[in-house]
Amino acid sequence: QVQLVESGGGLVQSGGSLALSCQASGLTFSAYNMGWFRQAPGKEREFVAAIWSTDRPNEVDYADSVKGRFTISRDNAKNTVYLQMNSLKPEDTAVYFCGADPPPHGTRRLERTYLYWGQGTQVTVSS
């Protein structure tokens, strides 16, 4: 049974940093593209960042709204994907979800590409 478990959310002041983790189990982690999405109240889930499987090592993608502030990385030995968030803004407030995209991989910025999802972790940025 596949499980994705996010952690690391919390409350932080504007300009601060948080580091999210998503630990996966029940799948061949290294073969999956991994993505982070977020959903603010009253809004649709939106793409944040993605990182490729070992097919294309170190290849990443970011939404324009977080480029230069967020960094996605992965540790295949630990079955974990990370999202380092710096220079946080109140508009970054949302529930953050990690998703797993199995091979053959789909379009990384589309929610429907991802087969498995975690339960989400709340990030709140105060002004």
Side-chain angles (χ1 to χ4, degrees), residues 95-111:
V95 178
Y96 283 70
F97 299 89
C98 68
D101 165 31
H105 303 299
T107 304
R108 58 188 176 268
R109 296 191 175 201
L110 294 180
E111 183 181 353

Side-chain angles (χ1 to χ4, degrees), residues 71-91:
T71 302
I72 188 171
S73 61
R74 66 190 296 163
D75 184 337
N76 290 330
K78 295 182 178 179
N79 285 6
T80 301
V81 60
Y82 305 96
L83 186 68
Q84 177 65 44
M85 305 186 295
N86 298 330
S87 303
L88 282 161
K89 305 174 181 180
E91 51 263 44

